[in-house]
Amino acid sequence: MNAQTASIPQQRAPNNQNPSDSRRSFFSKVCAAGAAVIASGSIFPKLTSGNHLENQAENVFHYNDTSRADKAFHIRLKAAQQQRTLPIPPHPDNGDEKQYYNKIGNFSKGLPHNRIGEVDIFAYNSMLYALYTGKPPDFERISMGSPVDQRRKLVNPQAALAFSLEGTDSHALAIPPAPKLNSAEAAAEMVEDYWMAICRDIPFNQYDSNPVAQSAVSELSSLSDFRGPKISGQVTPQTLFRVEVPGALEGPYISQFLWKVPPFGATNIDNKIITTTPDLNYMTRFDEWLKIQNGYTPTDSNQFETQRRYIRNGRDIGQWVHVDQLFQSYFQALLIMLSQPSDDPYVSGIGAPFNQGNPYLKSDNQIGFGTFGGENVLSMLCDIATKALKGVWFQKWSVHRRLRPEAYAGLVHLRKTCKIPYPIDHEVLDSNALQQIYLQYGSYLLPMAYPEGSPLHPSYGAGHATVAGACVTILKAWFDENYIIPNPVEATSDGLSLVEYSGPALTVGGELNKLATNIAIGRDHAGVHWRSDALASLYLGEAIAISVLKDQKLTYNEIFRGFTFTKFNGTIVNI
């Protein structure tokens, strides 16, 4: 795919200075100030020499406060200098915003639309102008498509402009352009989303026997540019709706970390979820769809089952990622790994050992706590989630502004019903999945798991997937990814109980990768994301986490030679 230059600059200073130069200038001033301080005197005074241990101890006890402050500054400066030397990469988009004057290939939800769902160009330009200037008052002037008292609001576009003071700056990381609106790849991703909606209530463990799931397997295998995992060139029940990273194609569809019960201090948290009613989907009428595109609060609401269930189908995982806190599932996985097994294999931890790089594994008289211990990694999960959001929000708002699947489905519907010649590849227009949708709903719109459809921010990259990539990377750095999970389980087809899993061994690394893909692709099951959103964002989150680990390595006093773990692409990295 050829790189395209964005039609609107991603961010500019008021004086029209190049945004990359502006951010470089900021870090240059920090580094220059630090260099001046370093030049003014010694930063690391040595302990006075002497023959008596008590003299040395006394010197440590009276350690100069200014020297400690200077050393802390030097560490911060070194981290900043490491990040300062990184080149600012190009950020090509897919060219759709420049190619289509009516912006049909880009995100516009919440802005006013005409009767066929095309965005008001003046309103769209008011959004671009705010992103161009970066001025908070300009964001308040964006034209919205619904009254204030009935309005859903745009989700945090100014986060695209925020700095992170640890790890790589959000503007110094890039993801590939999203598939173009008229491409066969976009069509294949839409066909997959239609099939996910059709299969939403089929248990994952019945994919190999259910005829509807078999139809999905057959059609996805036949598409010219479907990029999901395959075996011998074919989609199979084992690869259906999965993501190909190490371990994610092994064993049950759902990760052990979403089924096993996490010990939460003195409390065990039952992992059964409150899930939504089967066969109840939303936004399948055009008037309802159009109102939601204009940003109105939906009149419908989710309906819930009376029984709680373990996650066992697409609707369940879609509901998990509808209401979860973004680092929740990884915090849960951490609790399971930190806790030792008990007599009840279904309500216990797994006692996963730490990564071999942990310096305290070889200590005879110390353990980790605030550094290299459970408490260290507990806090990191929450913190890395915020950094991941800043990174992906820059991609969403300042670079790609990709439309959501529900908006693409609106183009499909109008092409099929009104003969509007939108540039949609024939593979989705002629698909079996689309015909099945029409037979059931009388429209070609994508049946959504949520009454409100997608949130009001662009599709590419994905927030959940970026946080997943970041948090799982932290956990793989902390724990032995080759440790085999004891007493693995899987949910029954009705989700009411867990039973013993007896297939090939499942490892911590594989199940963490699977957890990341479950959360990332779970948003696709609900209809709010594309496959490419998930995959690109997992890698973005991984890069953000690795950059933070590199910065934190500078802060430790322990003799630390780095963490070694497997990246999502299967390569080994040492941090």
Side-chain angles (χ1 to χ4, degrees):
M1 191 177 299
N2 293 330
Q4 302 287 335
T5 302
S7 57
I8 298 293
Q10 297 151 11
Q11 178 196 10
R12 291 201 184 275
N15 63 355
N16 289 329
Q17 184 180 17
N18 183 284
S20 297
D21 291 341
S22 177
R23 294 175 88 85
R24 287 182 185 279
S25 176
F26 173 83
F27 285 112
S28 261
K29 291 175 182 177
V30 172
C31 292
V37 171
I38 293 170
S40 68
S42 175
I43 288 182
F44 303 114
K46 295 181 180 180
L47 297 178
T48 56
S49 59
N51 297 323
H52 301 289
L53 183 60
E54 58 268 25
N55 291 338
Q56 293 290 338
E58 183 178 352
N59 285 322
V60 172
F61 185 77
H62 293 100
Y63 190 84
N64 185 289
D65 289 342
T66 302
S67 297
R68 172 71 183 184
D70 285 346
K71 185 171 183 179
F73 180 82
H74 178 77
I75 290 171
R76 288 174 184 250
L77 180 62
K78 183 176 180 180
Q81 287 173 325
Q82 286 184 168
Q83 298 301 335
R84 175 66 178 81
T85 60
L86 296 176
I88 302 295
H91 294 287
D93 61 37
N94 64 7
D96 284 346
E97 189 172 69
K98 184 176 181 179
Q99 181 172 355
Y100 303 112
Y101 73 93
N102 52 5
K103 310 306 177 189
I104 56 173
N106 292 92
F107 174 83
S108 62
K109 190 171 182 177
L111 307 182
H113 295 75
N114 64 20
R115 62 186 179 83
I116 60 171
E118 292 182 1
V119 68
D120 179 277
I121 295 302
F122 293 102
Y124 190 86
N125 286 339
S126 73
M127 180 182 75
L128 291 187
Y129 184 74
L131 293 167
Y132 175 79
T133 68
K135 296 179 179 179
D138 290 335
F139 288 94
E140 293 301 318
R141 298 187 187 104
I142 295 174
S143 299
M144 302 298 287
S146 57
V148 173
D149 61 344
Q150 302 176 57
R151 176 180 301 168
R152 297 178 66 211
K153 300 179 182 181
L154 298 176
V155 181
N156 202 194
Q158 292 188 66
L161 308 176
F163 286 89
S164 287
L165 297 182
E166 184 179 40
T168 302
D169 180 60
S170 62
H171 293 210
L173 293 170
I175 58 177
K180 291 179 66 66
L181 178 71
N182 63 358
S183 66
E185 183 183 0
E189 291 192 340
M190 192 69 233
V191 171
E192 182 180 40
D193 275 5
Y194 278 130
W195 277 119
M196 282 183 164
I198 295 167
C199 296
R200 197 167 278 154
D201 295 304
I202 299 173
F204 296 126
N205 65 6
Q206 292 182 5
Y207 278 179
D208 60 350
S209 59
N210 185 280
V212 176
Q214 291 289 330
S215 295
V217 165
S218 175
E219 180 156 74
L220 292 175
S221 294
S222 72
L223 298 174
S224 64
D225 201 12
F226 177 65
R227 303 192 183 188
K230 300 175 182 179
I231 296 176
S232 300
Q234 299 293 308
V235 179
T236 73
Q238 186 66 20
T239 68
L240 183 63
F241 307 147
R242 299 202 192 199
V243 177
E244 192 166 8
V245 297
L249 302 184
E250 306 299 326
Y253 187 97
I254 293 295
S255 170
Q256 295 295 299
F257 296 116
L258 287 173
W259 277 334
K260 281 184 170 288
V261 176
F264 193 77
T267 303
N268 283 323
I269 303 175
D270 188 352
N271 241 341
K272 286 183 179 178
I273 69 168
I274 300 171
T275 192
T276 50
T277 305
D279 301 318
L280 185 58
N281 300 307
Y282 305 92
M283 293 175 56
T284 57
R285 301 190 323 271
F286 189 80
D287 60 339
E288 174 192 24
W289 175 89
L290 182 58
K291 190 173 182 180
I292 295 298
Q293 299 315 300
N294 282 324
Y296 281 83
T297 302
T299 54
D300 292 326
S301 59
N302 276 126
Q303 305 298 311
F304 297 94
E305 292 209 281
T306 56
Q307 288 182 297
R308 297 172 67 202
R309 301 176 190 270
Y310 294 103
I311 298 171
R312 87 288 193 192
N313 60 25
R315 188 175 298 276
D316 292 349
I317 190 62
Q319 180 57 14
W320 172 275
V321 296
H322 191 198
V323 297
D324 63 321
Q325 300 302 317
L326 281 184
F327 66 96
Q328 178 179 338
S329 57
Y330 320 106
F331 178 68
Q332 177 173 298
L334 175 59
L335 294 176
I336 291 170
M337 289 192 288
L338 285 175
S339 302
Q340 295 301 313
S342 71
D343 293 336
D344 185 345
Y346 303 126
V347 187
S348 69
I350 64 171
F354 281 134
N355 188 295
Q356 287 299 305
N358 192 308
Y360 289 106
L361 293 182
K362 298 180 180 179
S363 175
D364 293 330
N365 57 0
Q366 302 173 76
I367 60 171
F369 194 69
T371 60
F372 298 104
E375 288 67 23
N376 189 179
V377 68
L378 279 164
S379 64
M380 286 188 70
L381 288 182
C382 178
D383 184 55
I384 199 67
T386 300
K387 293 179 173 63
L389 288 180
K390 289 178 183 178
V392 72
W393 248 243
F394 166 67
Q395 299 295 331
K396 281 177 176 292
W397 285 107
S398 293
V399 182
H400 301 285
R401 295 186 286 277
R402 186 187 191 186
L403 81 169
R404 292 279 181 167
E406 67 194 54
Y408 184 107
L411 300 177
V412 172
H413 176 82
L414 291 163
R415 170 80 180 262
K416 296 285 285 187
T417 59
C418 302
K419 309 301 181 184
I420 300 176
Y422 289 131
I424 304 298
D425 188 273
H426 71 92
E427 286 192 320
V428 63
L429 298 172
D430 301 336
S431 66
N432 180 26
L434 189 60
Q435 183 63 21
Q436 296 302 315
I437 292 291
Y438 184 77
L439 290 174
Q440 184 170 353
Y441 296 101
S443 78
Y444 299 99
L445 300 170
L446 178 63
M448 305 297 291
Y450 314 147
E452 74 278 11
S454 75
L456 267 69
H457 52 82
S459 193
Y460 188 77
H464 272 79
T466 309
V467 172
C471 287
V472 161
T473 298
I474 296 297
L475 293 176
K476 288 190 293 186
W478 236 255
F479 290 91
D480 180 358
E481 61 184 344
N482 297 314
Y483 181 70
I484 294 175
I485 294 179
N487 304 312
V489 297
E490 58 184 325
T492 55
S493 296
D494 59 10
L496 295 177
S497 60
L498 295 174
V499 296
E500 180 182 354
Y501 163 73
S502 57
L506 305 175
T507 64
V508 161
E511 291 302 290
L512 285 174
N513 285 344
K514 187 186 294 181
L515 175 61
T517 63
N518 285 163
I519 300 303
I521 213 75
R523 299 286 283 175
D524 297 39
H525 280 287
V528 302
H529 269 296
W530 310 88
R531 170 173 288 277
S532 54
D533 296 352
L535 192 59
S537 302
L538 287 174
Y539 283 98
L540 176 62
E542 179 181 69
I544 291 168
I546 287 174
S547 75
V548 170
L549 288 170
K550 287 180 178 178
D551 277 5
Q552 291 207 349
K553 186 177 180 181
L554 301 174
T555 69
Y556 296 127
N557 184 70
E558 293 88 346
I559 298 173
F560 176 50
R561 294 181 173 84
F563 292 123
T564 302
F565 58 90
T566 307
K567 296 174 64 176
F568 288 125
N569 65 5
T571 63
I572 306 297
V573 64
N574 178 265
I575 304 301

PDB file of all heavy atoms in Angstrom, residues 465-492:
ATOM      1  N   ALA A 465      -7.207  -2.703  22.153  1.00  0.00           N
ATOM      2  CA  ALA A 465      -6.115  -3.537  21.643  1.00  0.00           C
ATOM      3  C   ALA A 465      -4.753  -2.957  21.989  1.00  0.00           C
ATOM      4  O   ALA A 465      -3.805  -3.703  22.276  1.00  0.00           O
ATOM      5  CB  ALA A 465      -6.248  -3.699  20.130  1.00  0.00           C
ATOM      6  N   THR A 466      -4.613  -1.625  21.979  1.00  0.00           N
ATOM      7  CA  THR A 466      -3.333  -1.021  22.327  1.00  0.00           C
ATOM      8  C   THR A 466      -3.017  -1.250  23.798  1.00  0.00           C
ATOM      9  O   THR A 466      -1.874  -1.584  24.160  1.00  0.00           O
ATOM     10  CB  THR A 466      -3.341   0.482  22.007  1.00  0.00           C
ATOM     11  OG1 THR A 466      -3.772   0.677  20.665  1.00  0.00           O
ATOM     12  CG2 THR A 466      -1.957   1.082  22.177  1.00  0.00           C
ATOM     13  N   VAL A 467      -4.013  -1.068  24.643  1.00  0.00           N
ATOM     14  CA  VAL A 467      -3.816  -1.346  26.073  1.00  0.00           C
ATOM     15  C   VAL A 467      -3.499  -2.827  26.276  1.00  0.00           C
ATOM     16  O   VAL A 467      -2.635  -3.186  27.089  1.00  0.00           O
ATOM     17  CB  VAL A 467      -5.055  -0.926  26.883  1.00  0.00           C
ATOM     18  CG1 VAL A 467      -4.945  -1.392  28.332  1.00  0.00           C
ATOM     19  CG2 VAL A 467      -5.230   0.586  26.837  1.00  0.00           C
ATOM     20  N   ALA A 468      -4.171  -3.698  25.528  1.00  0.00           N
ATOM     21  CA  ALA A 468      -3.889  -5.134  25.626  1.00  0.00           C
ATOM     22  C   ALA A 468      -2.435  -5.425  25.280  1.00  0.00           C
ATOM     23  O   ALA A 468      -1.733  -6.153  25.999  1.00  0.00           O
ATOM     24  CB  ALA A 468      -4.816  -5.916  24.697  1.00  0.00           C
ATOM     25  N   GLY A 469      -1.957  -4.859  24.167  1.00  0.00           N
ATOM     26  CA  GLY A 469      -0.572  -5.093  23.768  1.00  0.00           C
ATOM     27  C   GLY A 469       0.414  -4.594  24.803  1.00  0.00           C
ATOM     28  O   GLY A 469       1.426  -5.247  25.077  1.00  0.00           O
ATOM     29  N   ALA A 470       0.129  -3.433  25.394  1.00  0.00           N
ATOM     30  CA  ALA A 470       1.037  -2.857  26.384  1.00  0.00           C
ATOM     31  C   ALA A 470       1.045  -3.661  27.670  1.00  0.00           C
ATOM     32  O   ALA A 470       2.104  -4.004  28.210  1.00  0.00           O
ATOM     33  CB  ALA A 470       0.648  -1.405  26.657  1.00  0.00           C
ATOM     34  N   CYS A 471      -0.133  -3.967  28.193  1.00  0.00           N
ATOM     35  CA  CYS A 471      -0.220  -4.662  29.487  1.00  0.00           C
ATOM     36  C   CYS A 471       0.323  -6.083  29.404  1.00  0.00           C
ATOM     37  O   CYS A 471       1.034  -6.539  30.309  1.00  0.00           O
ATOM     38  CB  CYS A 471      -1.674  -4.677  29.975  1.00  0.00           C
ATOM     39  SG  CYS A 471      -2.266  -3.083  30.568  1.00  0.00           S
ATOM     40  N   VAL A 472       0.007  -6.788  28.338  1.00  0.00           N
ATOM     41  CA  VAL A 472       0.500  -8.160  28.193  1.00  0.00           C
ATOM     42  C   VAL A 472       2.015  -8.166  28.030  1.00  0.00           C
ATOM     43  O   VAL A 472       2.703  -9.066  28.535  1.00  0.00           O
ATOM     44  CB  VAL A 472      -0.219  -8.856  27.025  1.00  0.00           C
ATOM     45  CG1 VAL A 472       0.559 -10.064  26.539  1.00  0.00           C
ATOM     46  CG2 VAL A 472      -1.619  -9.278  27.459  1.00  0.00           C
ATOM     47  N   THR A 473       2.569  -7.175  27.357  1.00  0.00           N
ATOM     48  CA  THR A 473       4.026  -7.083  27.234  1.00  0.00           C
ATOM     49  C   THR A 473       4.675  -6.915  28.605  1.00  0.00           C
ATOM     50  O   THR A 473       5.709  -7.542  28.900  1.00  0.00           O
ATOM     51  CB  THR A 473       4.407  -5.927  26.301  1.00  0.00           C
ATOM     52  OG1 THR A 473       3.865  -6.187  24.997  1.00  0.00           O
ATOM     53  CG2 THR A 473       5.916  -5.767  26.205  1.00  0.00           C
ATOM     54  N   ILE A 474       4.100  -6.074  29.449  1.00  0.00           N
ATOM     55  CA  ILE A 474       4.619  -5.914  30.815  1.00  0.00           C
ATOM     56  C   ILE A 474       4.573  -7.249  31.556  1.00  0.00           C
ATOM     57  O   ILE A 474       5.542  -7.643  32.230  1.00  0.00           O
ATOM     58  CB  ILE A 474       3.809  -4.853  31.581  1.00  0.00           C
ATOM     59  CG1 ILE A 474       3.972  -3.471  30.940  1.00  0.00           C
ATOM     60  CG2 ILE A 474       4.210  -4.827  33.054  1.00  0.00           C
ATOM     61  CD1 ILE A 474       5.369  -2.920  30.960  1.00  0.00           C
ATOM     62  N   LEU A 475       3.476  -7.974  31.439  1.00  0.00           N
ATOM     63  CA  LEU A 475       3.346  -9.249  32.153  1.00  0.00           C
ATOM     64  C   LEU A 475       4.323 -10.296  31.619  1.00  0.00           C
ATOM     65  O   LEU A 475       4.885 -11.089  32.391  1.00  0.00           O
ATOM     66  CB  LEU A 475       1.909  -9.752  32.053  1.00  0.00           C
ATOM     67  CG  LEU A 475       0.861  -8.911  32.794  1.00  0.00           C
ATOM     68  CD1 LEU A 475      -0.551  -9.443  32.539  1.00  0.00           C
ATOM     69  CD2 LEU A 475       1.146  -8.883  34.298  1.00  0.00           C
ATOM     70  N   LYS A 476       4.556 -10.313  30.325  1.00  0.00           N
ATOM     71  CA  LYS A 476       5.527 -11.269  29.774  1.00  0.00           C
ATOM     72  C   LYS A 476       6.954 -10.920  30.208  1.00  0.00           C
ATOM     73  O   LYS A 476       7.800 -11.806  30.355  1.00  0.00           O
ATOM     74  CB  LYS A 476       5.422 -11.318  28.249  1.00  0.00           C
ATOM     75  CG  LYS A 476       4.175 -12.019  27.741  1.00  0.00           C
ATOM     76  CD  LYS A 476       4.211 -12.272  26.248  1.00  0.00           C
ATOM     77  CE  LYS A 476       4.164 -11.008  25.446  1.00  0.00           C
ATOM     78  NZ  LYS A 476       4.064 -11.267  23.985  1.00  0.00           N
ATOM     79  N   ALA A 477       7.222  -9.624  30.408  1.00  0.00           N
ATOM     80  CA  ALA A 477       8.532  -9.227  30.914  1.00  0.00           C
ATOM     81  C   ALA A 477       8.722  -9.653  32.362  1.00  0.00           C
ATOM     82  O   ALA A 477       9.854  -9.868  32.806  1.00  0.00           O
ATOM     83  CB  ALA A 477       8.703  -7.709  30.786  1.00  0.00           C
ATOM     84  N   TRP A 478       7.646  -9.783  33.105  1.00  0.00           N
ATOM     85  CA  TRP A 478       7.736 -10.050  34.541  1.00  0.00           C
ATOM     86  C   TRP A 478       7.696 -11.534  34.879  1.00  0.00           C
ATOM     87  O   TRP A 478       8.254 -11.952  35.885  1.00  0.00           O
ATOM     88  CB  TRP A 478       6.608  -9.327  35.267  1.00  0.00           C
ATOM     89  CG  TRP A 478       7.123  -8.426  36.345  1.00  0.00           C
ATOM     90  CD1 TRP A 478       7.083  -8.644  37.691  1.00  0.00           C
ATOM     91  CD2 TRP A 478       7.775  -7.171  36.180  1.00  0.00           C
ATOM     92  NE1 TRP A 478       7.670  -7.611  38.366  1.00  0.00           N
ATOM     93  CE2 TRP A 478       8.106  -6.685  37.456  1.00  0.00           C
ATOM     94  CE3 TRP A 478       8.117  -6.400  35.072  1.00  0.00           C
ATOM     95  CZ2 TRP A 478       8.753  -5.476  37.660  1.00  0.00           C
ATOM     96  CZ3 TRP A 478       8.748  -5.192  35.263  1.00  0.00           C
ATOM     97  CH2 TRP A 478       9.062  -4.747  36.546  1.00  0.00           C
ATOM     98  N   PHE A 479       7.028 -12.338  34.046  1.00  0.00           N
ATOM     99  CA  PHE A 479       6.811 -13.745  34.394  1.00  0.00           C
ATOM    100  C   PHE A 479       7.452 -14.679  33.372  1.00  0.00           C
ATOM    101  O   PHE A 479       7.738 -14.299  32.241  1.00  0.00           O
ATOM    102  CB  PHE A 479       5.307 -14.035  34.502  1.00  0.00           C
ATOM    103  CG  PHE A 479       4.658 -13.402  35.693  1.00  0.00           C
ATOM    104  CD1 PHE A 479       4.097 -12.140  35.598  1.00  0.00           C
ATOM    105  CD2 PHE A 479       4.631 -14.054  36.923  1.00  0.00           C
ATOM    106  CE1 PHE A 479       3.506 -11.533  36.702  1.00  0.00           C
ATOM    107  CE2 PHE A 479       4.049 -13.458  38.029  1.00  0.00           C
ATOM    108  CZ  PHE A 479       3.484 -12.198  37.920  1.00  0.00           C
ATOM    109  N   ASP A 480       7.654 -15.915  33.795  1.00  0.00           N
ATOM    110  CA  ASP A 480       8.216 -16.957  32.939  1.00  0.00           C
ATOM    111  C   ASP A 480       7.149 -17.388  31.938  1.00  0.00           C
ATOM    112  O   ASP A 480       6.193 -18.080  32.285  1.00  0.00           O
ATOM    113  CB  ASP A 480       8.657 -18.146  33.801  1.00  0.00           C
ATOM    114  CG  ASP A 480       9.253 -19.273  32.990  1.00  0.00           C
ATOM    115  OD1 ASP A 480       9.304 -19.180  31.742  1.00  0.00           O
ATOM    116  OD2 ASP A 480       9.660 -20.277  33.607  1.00  0.00           O
ATOM    117  N   GLU A 481       7.311 -16.969  30.689  1.00  0.00           N
ATOM    118  CA  GLU A 481       6.267 -17.233  29.699  1.00  0.00           C
ATOM    119  C   GLU A 481       6.199 -18.707  29.295  1.00  0.00           C
ATOM    120  O   GLU A 481       5.210 -19.135  28.691  1.00  0.00           O
ATOM    121  CB  GLU A 481       6.482 -16.369  28.460  1.00  0.00           C
ATOM    122  CG  GLU A 481       7.785 -16.604  27.735  1.00  0.00           C
ATOM    123  CD  GLU A 481       7.974 -15.645  26.559  1.00  0.00           C
ATOM    124  OE1 GLU A 481       6.989 -15.022  26.134  1.00  0.00           O
ATOM    125  OE2 GLU A 481       9.107 -15.526  26.074  1.00  0.00           O
ATOM    126  N   ASN A 482       7.205 -19.490  29.634  1.00  0.00           N
ATOM    127  CA  ASN A 482       7.191 -20.917  29.292  1.00  0.00           C
ATOM    128  C   ASN A 482       6.548 -21.788  30.365  1.00  0.00           C
ATOM    129  O   ASN A 482       6.415 -23.005  30.180  1.00  0.00           O
ATOM    130  CB  ASN A 482       8.620 -21.402  29.036  1.00  0.00           C
ATOM    131  CG  ASN A 482       9.253 -20.711  27.838  1.00  0.00           C
ATOM    132  OD1 ASN A 482       8.636 -20.594  26.784  1.00  0.00           O
ATOM    133  ND2 ASN A 482      10.480 -20.237  27.990  1.00  0.00           N
ATOM    134  N   TYR A 483       6.170 -21.188  31.482  1.00  0.00           N
ATOM    135  CA  TYR A 483       5.547 -21.950  32.565  1.00  0.00           C
ATOM    136  C   TYR A 483       4.210 -22.520  32.094  1.00  0.00           C
ATOM    137  O   TYR A 483       3.369 -21.819  31.527  1.00  0.00           O
ATOM    138  CB  TYR A 483       5.336 -21.042  33.771  1.00  0.00           C
ATOM    139  CG  TYR A 483       4.708 -21.709  34.972  1.00  0.00           C
ATOM    140  CD1 TYR A 483       5.409 -22.654  35.715  1.00  0.00           C
ATOM    141  CD2 TYR A 483       3.412 -21.383  35.363  1.00  0.00           C
ATOM    142  CE1 TYR A 483       4.841 -23.253  36.822  1.00  0.00           C
ATOM    143  CE2 TYR A 483       2.827 -21.981  36.471  1.00  0.00           C
ATOM    144  CZ  TYR A 483       3.547 -22.918  37.201  1.00  0.00           C
ATOM    145  OH  TYR A 483       2.973 -23.512  38.309  1.00  0.00           O
ATOM    146  N   ILE A 484       4.016 -23.813  32.333  1.00  0.00           N
ATOM    147  CA  ILE A 484       2.780 -24.486  31.913  1.00  0.00           C
ATOM    148  C   ILE A 484       1.697 -24.263  32.962  1.00  0.00           C
ATOM    149  O   ILE A 484       1.910 -24.499  34.159  1.00  0.00           O
ATOM    150  CB  ILE A 484       3.037 -25.988  31.691  1.00  0.00           C
ATOM    151  CG1 ILE A 484       4.000 -26.176  30.502  1.00  0.00           C
ATOM    152  CG2 ILE A 484       1.726 -26.727  31.423  1.00  0.00           C
ATOM    153  CD1 ILE A 484       4.409 -27.617  30.262  1.00  0.00           C
ATOM    154  N   ILE A 485       0.555 -23.813  32.523  1.00  0.00           N
ATOM    155  CA  ILE A 485      -0.542 -23.495  33.428  1.00  0.00           C
ATOM    156  C   ILE A 485      -1.129 -24.792  33.993  1.00  0.00           C
ATOM    157  O   ILE A 485      -1.563 -25.660  33.230  1.00  0.00           O
ATOM    158  CB  ILE A 485      -1.622 -22.674  32.704  1.00  0.00           C
ATOM    159  CG1 ILE A 485      -1.039 -21.304  32.328  1.00  0.00           C
ATOM    160  CG2 ILE A 485      -2.871 -22.522  33.548  1.00  0.00           C
ATOM    161  CD1 ILE A 485      -1.990 -20.404  31.581  1.00  0.00           C
ATOM    162  N   PRO A 486      -1.156 -24.921  35.319  1.00  0.00           N
ATOM    163  CA  PRO A 486      -1.728 -26.141  35.909  1.00  0.00           C
ATOM    164  C   PRO A 486      -3.254 -26.121  35.880  1.00  0.00           C
ATOM    165  O   PRO A 486      -3.883 -25.070  35.903  1.00  0.00           O
ATOM    166  CB  PRO A 486      -1.215 -26.085  37.354  1.00  0.00           C
ATOM    167  CG  PRO A 486      -1.036 -24.628  37.637  1.00  0.00           C
ATOM    168  CD  PRO A 486      -0.615 -23.998  36.341  1.00  0.00           C
ATOM    169  N   ASN A 487      -3.834 -27.289  35.789  1.00  0.00           N
ATOM    170  CA  ASN A 487      -5.295 -27.467  35.877  1.00  0.00           C
ATOM    171  C   ASN A 487      -6.069 -26.545  34.936  1.00  0.00           C
ATOM    172  O   ASN A 487      -6.966 -25.798  35.362  1.00  0.00           O
ATOM    173  CB  ASN A 487      -5.768 -27.235  37.317  1.00  0.00           C
ATOM    174  CG  ASN A 487      -5.056 -28.118  38.319  1.00  0.00           C
ATOM    175  OD1 ASN A 487      -4.943 -29.322  38.114  1.00  0.00           O
ATOM    176  ND2 ASN A 487      -4.557 -27.527  39.391  1.00  0.00           N
ATOM    177  N   PRO A 488      -5.779 -26.588  33.649  1.00  0.00           N
ATOM    178  CA  PRO A 488      -6.513 -25.720  32.722  1.00  0.00           C
ATOM    179  C   PRO A 488      -7.987 -26.124  32.637  1.00  0.00           C
ATOM    180  O   PRO A 488      -8.349 -27.285  32.863  1.00  0.00           O
ATOM    181  CB  PRO A 488      -5.798 -25.931  31.395  1.00  0.00           C
ATOM    182  CG  PRO A 488      -5.183 -27.294  31.508  1.00  0.00           C
ATOM    183  CD  PRO A 488      -4.809 -27.453  32.948  1.00  0.00           C
ATOM    184  N   VAL A 489      -8.826 -25.152  32.292  1.00  0.00           N
ATOM    185  CA  VAL A 489     -10.273 -25.359  32.276  1.00  0.00           C
ATOM    186  C   VAL A 489     -10.845 -24.815  30.966  1.00  0.00           C
ATOM    187  O   VAL A 489     -10.166 -24.145  30.198  1.00  0.00           O
ATOM    188  CB  VAL A 489     -10.945 -24.652  33.468  1.00  0.00           C
ATOM    189  CG1 VAL A 489     -10.469 -25.245  34.789  1.00  0.00           C
ATOM    190  CG2 VAL A 489     -10.677 -23.138  33.430  1.00  0.00           C
ATOM    191  N   GLU A 490     -12.109 -25.112  30.732  1.00  0.00           N
ATOM    192  CA  GLU A 490     -12.864 -24.468  29.662  1.00  0.00           C
ATOM    193  C   GLU A 490     -14.329 -24.430  30.048  1.00  0.00           C
ATOM    194  O   GLU A 490     -14.802 -25.223  30.874  1.00  0.00           O
ATOM    195  CB  GLU A 490     -12.676 -25.190  28.323  1.00  0.00           C
ATOM    196  CG  GLU A 490     -13.058 -26.643  28.293  1.00  0.00           C
ATOM    197  CD  GLU A 490     -12.740 -27.268  26.931  1.00  0.00           C
ATOM    198  OE1 GLU A 490     -12.870 -26.559  25.907  1.00  0.00           O
ATOM    199  OE2 GLU A 490     -12.378 -28.458  26.895  1.00  0.00           O
ATOM    200  N   ALA A 491     -15.042 -23.475  29.476  1.00  0.00           N
ATOM    201  CA  ALA A 491     -16.453 -23.290  29.808  1.00  0.00           C
ATOM    202  C   ALA A 491     -17.317 -24.270  29.034  1.00  0.00           C
ATOM    203  O   ALA A 491     -17.006 -24.633  27.890  1.00  0.00           O
ATOM    204  CB  ALA A 491     -16.876 -21.860  29.492  1.00  0.00           C
ATOM    205  N   THR A 492     -18.401 -24.702  29.649  1.00  0.00           N
ATOM    206  CA  THR A 492     -19.399 -25.504  28.943  1.00  0.00           C
ATOM    207  C   THR A 492     -20.135 -24.631  27.935  1.00  0.00           C
ATOM    208  O   THR A 492     -20.064 -23.390  27.990  1.00  0.00           O
ATOM    209  CB  THR A 492     -20.402 -26.101  29.938  1.00  0.00           C
ATOM    210  OG1 THR A 492     -20.978 -25.039  30.723  1.00  0.00           O
ATOM    211  CG2 THR A 492     -19.710 -27.092  30.877  1.00  0.00           C
TER     212      THR A 492
END
